[in-house]
Short mmCIF file of all heavy atoms in Angstrom, two decimals:
data_model
loop_
_atom_site.label_atom_id
_atom_site.label_comp_id
_atom_site.label_asym_id
_atom_site.label_seq_id
_atom_site.Cartn_x
_atom_site.Cartn_y
_atom_site.Cartn_z
N GLY I 10 26.11 -0.85 -5.84
CA GLY I 10 26.24 -1.09 -7.34
C GLY I 10 24.94 -1.30 -7.98
O GLY I 10 24.00 -0.55 -7.76
N PRO I 11 24.78 -2.30 -8.80
CA PRO I 11 23.49 -2.57 -9.56
C PRO I 11 22.28 -2.73 -8.65
O PRO I 11 21.17 -2.49 -9.10
CB PRO I 11 23.80 -3.84 -10.30
CG PRO I 11 25.30 -3.88 -10.43
CD PRO I 11 25.81 -3.28 -9.19
N ALA I 12 22.50 -3.17 -7.42
CA ALA I 12 21.36 -3.37 -6.49
C ALA I 12 20.63 -2.05 -6.14
O ALA I 12 19.48 -2.20 -5.82
CB ALA I 12 21.86 -4.08 -5.21
N VAL I 13 21.28 -0.97 -6.31
CA VAL I 13 20.64 0.36 -6.09
C VAL I 13 19.48 0.58 -7.05
O VAL I 13 18.40 0.91 -6.69
CB VAL I 13 21.60 1.49 -6.13
CG1 VAL I 13 20.91 2.87 -5.92
CG2 VAL I 13 22.66 1.32 -5.07
N SER I 14 19.67 0.33 -8.36
CA SER I 14 18.66 0.42 -9.37
C SER I 14 17.62 -0.61 -9.14
O SER I 14 16.36 -0.33 -9.33
CB SER I 14 19.21 0.20 -10.72
OG SER I 14 20.07 1.41 -11.08
N THR I 15 17.92 -1.80 -8.66
CA THR I 15 16.96 -2.80 -8.34
C THR I 15 16.04 -2.34 -7.24
O THR I 15 14.85 -2.49 -7.32
CB THR I 15 17.64 -4.11 -7.98
OG1 THR I 15 18.47 -4.52 -9.01
CG2 THR I 15 16.61 -5.16 -7.72
N PHE I 16 16.66 -1.74 -6.23
CA PHE I 16 15.85 -1.13 -5.10
C PHE I 16 14.80 -0.17 -5.63
O PHE I 16 13.64 -0.22 -5.20
CB PHE I 16 16.89 -0.39 -4.10
CG PHE I 16 16.18 0.23 -2.99
CD1 PHE I 16 15.87 -0.50 -1.84
CD2 PHE I 16 15.85 1.53 -2.97
CE1 PHE I 16 15.27 0.14 -0.69
CE2 PHE I 16 15.22 2.20 -1.93
CZ PHE I 16 14.91 1.49 -0.81
N ILE I 17 15.16 0.72 -6.47
CA ILE I 17 14.22 1.70 -7.01
C ILE I 17 13.15 1.08 -7.78
O ILE I 17 11.99 1.47 -7.78
CB ILE I 17 14.96 2.77 -7.81
CG1 ILE I 17 15.89 3.54 -6.93
CG2 ILE I 17 14.01 3.76 -8.53
CD1 ILE I 17 16.65 4.67 -7.60
N GLN I 18 13.52 0.01 -8.62
CA GLN I 18 12.55 -0.64 -9.45
C GLN I 18 11.48 -1.37 -8.54
O GLN I 18 10.24 -1.34 -8.82
CB GLN I 18 13.19 -1.66 -10.33
CG GLN I 18 14.06 -1.06 -11.37
CD GLN I 18 13.31 -0.29 -12.48
OE1 GLN I 18 12.06 -0.54 -12.68
NE2 GLN I 18 13.89 0.63 -13.11
N VAL I 19 11.92 -1.97 -7.49
CA VAL I 19 11.04 -2.69 -6.54
C VAL I 19 10.22 -1.59 -5.85
O VAL I 19 8.99 -1.79 -5.58
CB VAL I 19 11.84 -3.50 -5.52
CG1 VAL I 19 10.86 -4.07 -4.46
CG2 VAL I 19 12.53 -4.63 -6.27
N LEU I 20 10.85 -0.48 -5.43
CA LEU I 20 10.19 0.58 -4.76
C LEU I 20 8.94 1.12 -5.64
O LEU I 20 7.88 1.42 -5.03
CB LEU I 20 11.05 1.72 -4.47
CG LEU I 20 10.57 2.95 -3.74
CD1 LEU I 20 10.06 2.59 -2.27
CD2 LEU I 20 11.59 4.03 -3.67
N LYS I 21 9.08 1.19 -6.90
CA LYS I 21 8.04 1.68 -7.78
C LYS I 21 6.89 0.76 -7.74
O LYS I 21 5.70 1.20 -7.76
CB LYS I 21 8.55 1.78 -9.22
CG LYS I 21 9.59 2.88 -9.44
CD LYS I 21 10.39 2.67 -10.70
CE LYS I 21 9.63 2.77 -12.00
NZ LYS I 21 10.53 2.67 -13.13
N LYS I 22 7.01 -0.62 -7.62
CA LYS I 22 5.91 -1.54 -7.52
C LYS I 22 5.12 -1.30 -6.28
O LYS I 22 3.85 -1.25 -6.25
CB LYS I 22 6.42 -2.98 -7.60
CG LYS I 22 7.13 -3.28 -8.88
CD LYS I 22 7.69 -4.65 -8.90
CE LYS I 22 8.42 -5.01 -10.21
NZ LYS I 22 9.05 -6.35 -10.22
N PHE I 23 5.80 -1.10 -5.10
CA PHE I 23 5.10 -0.82 -3.86
C PHE I 23 4.39 0.53 -3.94
O PHE I 23 3.31 0.66 -3.31
CB PHE I 23 6.19 -0.83 -2.68
CG PHE I 23 6.58 -2.22 -2.25
CD1 PHE I 23 7.73 -2.73 -2.66
CD2 PHE I 23 5.77 -2.98 -1.43
CE1 PHE I 23 8.10 -4.02 -2.29
CE2 PHE I 23 6.08 -4.28 -1.03
CZ PHE I 23 7.31 -4.76 -1.46
N LEU I 24 5.01 1.47 -4.61
CA LEU I 24 4.36 2.85 -4.77
C LEU I 24 3.01 2.71 -5.43
O LEU I 24 2.04 3.34 -4.92
CB LEU I 24 5.32 3.77 -5.51
CG LEU I 24 4.70 5.08 -5.95
CD1 LEU I 24 4.51 5.94 -4.76
CD2 LEU I 24 5.56 5.78 -6.96
N ILE I 25 2.93 1.94 -6.54
CA ILE I 25 1.70 1.85 -7.26
C ILE I 25 0.57 1.21 -6.32
O ILE I 25 -0.55 1.59 -6.25
CB ILE I 25 1.84 0.90 -8.43
CG1 ILE I 25 2.67 1.59 -9.53
CG2 ILE I 25 0.54 0.47 -9.03
CD1 ILE I 25 1.97 2.73 -10.09
N VAL I 26 1.01 0.21 -5.51
CA VAL I 26 -0.02 -0.44 -4.59
C VAL I 26 -0.52 0.57 -3.54
O VAL I 26 -1.73 0.59 -3.33
CB VAL I 26 0.68 -1.72 -3.88
CG1 VAL I 26 -0.28 -2.26 -2.85
CG2 VAL I 26 1.06 -2.68 -4.92
N VAL I 27 0.38 1.29 -2.94
CA VAL I 27 -0.07 2.11 -1.77
C VAL I 27 -0.86 3.34 -2.36
O VAL I 27 -1.80 3.79 -1.64
CB VAL I 27 1.13 2.63 -0.97
CG1 VAL I 27 1.85 1.49 -0.28
CG2 VAL I 27 2.12 3.40 -1.79
N VAL I 28 -0.59 3.83 -3.52
CA VAL I 28 -1.34 4.96 -4.06
C VAL I 28 -2.73 4.46 -4.47
O VAL I 28 -3.71 5.21 -4.28
CB VAL I 28 -0.54 5.61 -5.23
CG1 VAL I 28 -1.46 6.66 -5.95
CG2 VAL I 28 0.70 6.34 -4.76
N LEU I 29 -2.82 3.24 -5.06
CA LEU I 29 -4.11 2.74 -5.41
C LEU I 29 -5.00 2.50 -4.14
O LEU I 29 -6.19 2.79 -4.15
CB LEU I 29 -3.96 1.37 -6.19
CG LEU I 29 -3.44 1.48 -7.62
CD1 LEU I 29 -3.22 0.14 -8.19
CD2 LEU I 29 -4.42 2.22 -8.49
N LEU I 30 -4.35 2.00 -3.11
CA LEU I 30 -5.08 1.85 -1.82
C LEU I 30 -5.52 3.25 -1.28
O LEU I 30 -6.57 3.31 -0.67
CB LEU I 30 -4.25 1.09 -0.89
CG LEU I 30 -4.00 -0.42 -1.20
CD1 LEU I 30 -2.98 -1.06 -0.24
CD2 LEU I 30 -5.35 -1.20 -1.15
N ALA I 31 -4.74 4.22 -1.46
CA ALA I 31 -5.06 5.57 -0.97
C ALA I 31 -6.27 6.07 -1.78
O ALA I 31 -7.17 6.71 -1.23
CB ALA I 31 -3.87 6.50 -1.19
N LEU I 32 -6.32 5.78 -3.08
CA LEU I 32 -7.46 6.15 -3.92
C LEU I 32 -8.71 5.50 -3.34
O LEU I 32 -9.79 6.06 -3.32
CB LEU I 32 -7.25 5.75 -5.36
CG LEU I 32 -6.39 6.79 -6.15
CD1 LEU I 32 -6.05 6.19 -7.51
CD2 LEU I 32 -7.12 8.10 -6.34
N ALA I 33 -8.56 4.23 -2.98
CA ALA I 33 -9.70 3.43 -2.44
C ALA I 33 -10.15 4.16 -1.11
O ALA I 33 -11.40 4.26 -0.87
CB ALA I 33 -9.28 2.04 -2.12
N ASP I 34 -9.21 4.60 -0.30
CA ASP I 34 -9.59 5.38 0.90
C ASP I 34 -10.51 6.57 0.55
O ASP I 34 -11.49 6.84 1.19
CB ASP I 34 -8.35 5.80 1.64
CG ASP I 34 -7.64 4.72 2.49
OD1 ASP I 34 -8.17 3.57 2.50
OD2 ASP I 34 -6.56 4.95 2.98
N SER I 35 -9.95 7.36 -0.41
CA SER I 35 -10.58 8.55 -0.79
C SER I 35 -11.95 8.31 -1.40
O SER I 35 -12.91 9.08 -1.09
CB SER I 35 -9.73 9.32 -1.80
OG SER I 35 -10.31 10.55 -2.20
N ILE I 36 -12.11 7.32 -2.25
CA ILE I 36 -13.38 6.97 -2.89
C ILE I 36 -14.39 6.51 -1.89
O ILE I 36 -15.63 6.95 -1.94
CB ILE I 36 -13.25 5.97 -4.03
CG1 ILE I 36 -12.42 6.62 -5.16
CG2 ILE I 36 -14.63 5.49 -4.52
CD1 ILE I 36 -12.00 5.56 -6.18
N THR I 37 -14.04 5.68 -0.90
CA THR I 37 -15.00 5.09 -0.03
C THR I 37 -15.22 6.05 1.25
O THR I 37 -16.17 5.85 1.94
CB THR I 37 -14.46 3.70 0.55
OG1 THR I 37 -13.22 3.90 1.18
CG2 THR I 37 -14.31 2.76 -0.62
N GLY I 38 -14.29 6.97 1.40
CA GLY I 38 -14.39 7.86 2.58
C GLY I 38 -14.07 7.22 3.93
O GLY I 38 -14.43 7.69 4.96
N ARG I 39 -13.33 6.14 3.89
CA ARG I 39 -12.86 5.50 5.11
C ARG I 39 -11.52 4.84 4.85
O ARG I 39 -11.05 4.61 3.80
CB ARG I 39 -13.85 4.40 5.58
CG ARG I 39 -14.08 3.23 4.65
CD ARG I 39 -15.28 2.46 5.10
NE ARG I 39 -15.43 1.25 4.30
CZ ARG I 39 -15.06 0.08 4.68
NH1 ARG I 39 -14.41 -0.12 5.84
NH2 ARG I 39 -15.18 -1.01 3.83
N LEU I 40 -10.81 4.64 5.98
CA LEU I 40 -9.41 4.03 5.88
C LEU I 40 -9.54 2.52 5.67
O LEU I 40 -9.61 1.74 6.64
CB LEU I 40 -8.64 4.38 7.11
CG LEU I 40 -8.54 5.89 7.46
CD1 LEU I 40 -7.86 6.10 8.78
CD2 LEU I 40 -7.82 6.67 6.38
N MET I 41 -9.55 2.13 4.46
CA MET I 41 -9.82 0.74 4.08
C MET I 41 -8.82 -0.21 4.69
O MET I 41 -9.17 -1.25 5.36
CB MET I 41 -9.77 0.64 2.56
CG MET I 41 -10.83 1.38 1.77
SD MET I 41 -12.41 0.54 1.86
CE MET I 41 -12.10 -0.90 0.96
N VAL I 42 -7.53 -0.04 4.52
CA VAL I 42 -6.51 -0.92 5.04
C VAL I 42 -6.64 -1.02 6.59
O VAL I 42 -6.57 -2.11 7.14
CB VAL I 42 -5.08 -0.54 4.54
CG1 VAL I 42 -4.05 -1.38 5.23
CG2 VAL I 42 -5.01 -0.53 3.03
N HIS I 43 -6.66 0.11 7.22
CA HIS I 43 -6.77 0.16 8.66
C HIS I 43 -8.03 -0.59 9.15
O HIS I 43 -7.92 -1.35 10.19
CB HIS I 43 -6.76 1.60 9.19
CG HIS I 43 -5.42 2.27 9.09
ND1 HIS I 43 -4.73 2.77 10.17
CD2 HIS I 43 -4.60 2.43 7.98
CE1 HIS I 43 -3.62 3.31 9.83
NE2 HIS I 43 -3.51 3.13 8.54
N THR I 44 -9.16 -0.32 8.53
CA THR I 44 -10.40 -1.02 8.98
C THR I 44 -10.28 -2.54 8.76
O THR I 44 -10.67 -3.32 9.61
CB THR I 44 -11.55 -0.44 8.13
OG1 THR I 44 -11.63 0.90 8.35
CG2 THR I 44 -12.84 -1.07 8.63
N THR I 45 -9.76 -2.94 7.61
CA THR I 45 -9.64 -4.37 7.32
C THR I 45 -8.72 -4.99 8.31
O THR I 45 -8.99 -6.10 8.83
CB THR I 45 -9.14 -4.56 5.84
OG1 THR I 45 -10.05 -3.88 4.99
CG2 THR I 45 -9.08 -6.10 5.52
N LEU I 46 -7.57 -4.49 8.47
CA LEU I 46 -6.54 -5.19 9.38
C LEU I 46 -7.04 -5.13 10.82
O LEU I 46 -6.80 -6.11 11.52
CB LEU I 46 -5.21 -4.41 9.23
CG LEU I 46 -4.47 -4.59 7.95
CD1 LEU I 46 -3.15 -3.74 7.97
CD2 LEU I 46 -4.06 -6.07 7.74
N ALA I 47 -7.67 -4.14 11.23
CA ALA I 47 -8.23 -4.06 12.54
C ALA I 47 -9.27 -5.20 12.76
O ALA I 47 -9.36 -5.86 13.84
CB ALA I 47 -8.84 -2.66 12.90
N GLY I 48 -10.02 -5.47 11.73
CA GLY I 48 -10.97 -6.59 11.76
C GLY I 48 -10.38 -7.91 11.79
O GLY I 48 -10.74 -8.80 12.58
N ILE I 49 -9.25 -8.08 11.05
CA ILE I 49 -8.56 -9.34 10.97
C ILE I 49 -7.90 -9.71 12.35
O ILE I 49 -7.93 -10.76 12.82
CB ILE I 49 -7.51 -9.36 9.88
CG1 ILE I 49 -8.22 -9.31 8.54
CG2 ILE I 49 -6.62 -10.61 9.90
CD1 ILE I 49 -7.28 -9.14 7.38
N PHE I 50 -7.26 -8.67 12.92
CA PHE I 50 -6.55 -8.86 14.18
C PHE I 50 -7.36 -8.51 15.46
O PHE I 50 -6.77 -8.52 16.57
CB PHE I 50 -5.26 -8.03 14.16
CG PHE I 50 -4.21 -8.48 13.15
CD1 PHE I 50 -4.16 -7.91 11.87
CD2 PHE I 50 -3.35 -9.50 13.47
CE1 PHE I 50 -3.21 -8.32 10.93
CE2 PHE I 50 -2.42 -9.95 12.50
CZ PHE I 50 -2.39 -9.39 11.22
N HIS I 51 -8.66 -8.23 15.21
CA HIS I 51 -9.55 -7.98 16.35
C HIS I 51 -9.01 -6.90 17.27
O HIS I 51 -8.95 -7.11 18.52
CB HIS I 51 -9.82 -9.24 17.15
CG HIS I 51 -10.35 -10.39 16.31
ND1 HIS I 51 -11.61 -10.41 15.76
CD2 HIS I 51 -9.76 -11.55 15.89
CE1 HIS I 51 -11.78 -11.47 15.07
NE2 HIS I 51 -10.67 -12.22 15.05
N SER I 52 -8.51 -5.84 16.65
CA SER I 52 -7.98 -4.75 17.45
C SER I 52 -8.80 -3.46 17.18
O SER I 52 -9.53 -3.36 16.26
CB SER I 52 -6.48 -4.56 17.14
OG SER I 52 -6.36 -4.21 15.72
#
């Protein structure tokens, strides 16, 4: 029911975040999220 539209609205917010982070990857020439998380978790 109405929760389907809510799902898409929330999905749009996550989309903006991941595309902006992808732009950061492209601008810096490195995988920003992967590098950061690997440093945090020492992996």
Side-chain angles (χ1 to χ4, degrees):
V13 177
S14 288
T15 304
F16 177 87
I17 295 180
Q18 293 295 337
V19 174
L20 180 64
K21 289 160 67 174
K22 298 177 182 179
F23 283 100
L24 171 69
I25 289 293
V26 174
V27 297
V28 172
L29 287 176
L30 290 173
L32 279 172
D34 284 354
S35 183
I36 293 171
T37 61
R39 63 194 187 98
L40 302 175
M41 295 284 293
V42 174
H43 284 238
T44 303
T45 302
L46 290 176
I49 293 174
F50 291 97
H51 306 288
S52 62

